[in-house]
C-alpha cells in the first residue's frame, strides 16, 4: 500500500496593507500540518495532544503579542502558502519522501524527527498496536 503526504496550506485574500507572516507562524503551520500528515499516514505515530495544544497556545500568544487576532489575521497577514511550501518541499527532500512513498518511509521520517528532537518531532508520539 502506498501513502501520499498531503499538506494543508493556509490561503488568504490579498490586501494592500498586509504584513509578511512571521517566521514562527510559518514554521508552526508547517510543523503542525506535517505532524498531522505523518500521524495519519503512519499507523505507529500519533499526535501528542498535550504537546500540540501547548505549541498552538504559544503560537497564538505570540501572534496576539504581534497584534494579530482571529478577526484581523486573514486581513493583516500576507498569504504564507509559498513559505510553508518551501519548508514542506525541504522536508520531503530531507526524508526522500517522493510521491507515493510507502508507510515504512513515512514512519521512518516521523521517527527520525522524534529522535532528532525537532519541533515537528515533539508534536508526535510513537504508538504500538
Amino acid at each position: 500500500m502506498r501513502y501520499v503526504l498531503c499538506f494543508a496550506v493556509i490561503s488568504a485574500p490579498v490586501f494592500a496593507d498586509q504584513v509578511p507572516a512571521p517566521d514562527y507562524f510559518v514554521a508552526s503551520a508547517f510543523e503542525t500540518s506535517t505532524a498531522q500528515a505523518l500521524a495519519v499516514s503512519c499507523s505507529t505515530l500519533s499526535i501528542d495532544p498535550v504537546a500540540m495544544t501547548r505549541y498552538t497556545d504559544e503560537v497564538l500568544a505570540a501572534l496576539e503579542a504581534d497584534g494579530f487576532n482571529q478577526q484581523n489575521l486573514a486581513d493583516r497577514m500576507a498569504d504564507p502558502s509559498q513559505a510553508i511550501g518551501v519548508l514542506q518541499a525541504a522536508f520531503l527532500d530531507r526524508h526522500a519522501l517522493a510521491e507515493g512513498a510507502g508507510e515504512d518511509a513515512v514512519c521512518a521520517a516521523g521517527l527520525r524527527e522524534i529522535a532528532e528532537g525537532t519541533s515537528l518531532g515533539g508534536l508526535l508520539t510513537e504508538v504500538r498496536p
Side-chain angles (χ1 to χ4, degrees):
M1 180 176 263
R2 295 247 177 231
Y3 294 85
V4 177
L5 292 178
C6 296
F7 298 101
V9 178
I10 299 166
S11 183
V14 177
F15 294 93
D17 57 347
Q18 291 181 323
V19 297
D23 290 341
Y24 66 84
F25 178 78
V26 171
S28 71
F30 157 72
E31 291 160 355
T32 57
S33 65
T34 303
Q36 290 171 0
L38 290 169
V40 166
S41 298
C42 175
S43 61
T44 59
L45 292 176
S46 182
I47 293 296
D48 179 334
V50 173
M52 183 68 84
T53 299
R54 184 180 320 116
Y55 188 52
T56 302
D57 288 347
E58 290 170 2
V59 171
L60 291 174
L63 284 170
E64 187 174 317
D66 285 342
F68 295 101
N69 59 47
Q70 284 185 310
Q71 290 73 34
N72 73 11
L73 186 63
D75 294 340
R76 264 194 85 216
M77 187 185 294
D79 183 0
S81 299
Q82 185 174 7
I84 295 167
V86 167
L87 295 176
Q88 290 169 340
F91 175 84
L92 294 174
D93 186 53
R94 181 170 64 250
H95 293 287
L97 292 173
E99 185 174 330
E103 182 178 12
D104 289 346
V106 173
C107 294
L111 291 172
R112 181 175 161 196
E113 292 291 322
I114 292 170
E116 292 177 357
T118 66
S119 294
L120 191 160
L123 301 174
L124 295 168
T125 188
E126 188 174 6
V127 294
R128 298 229 157 74

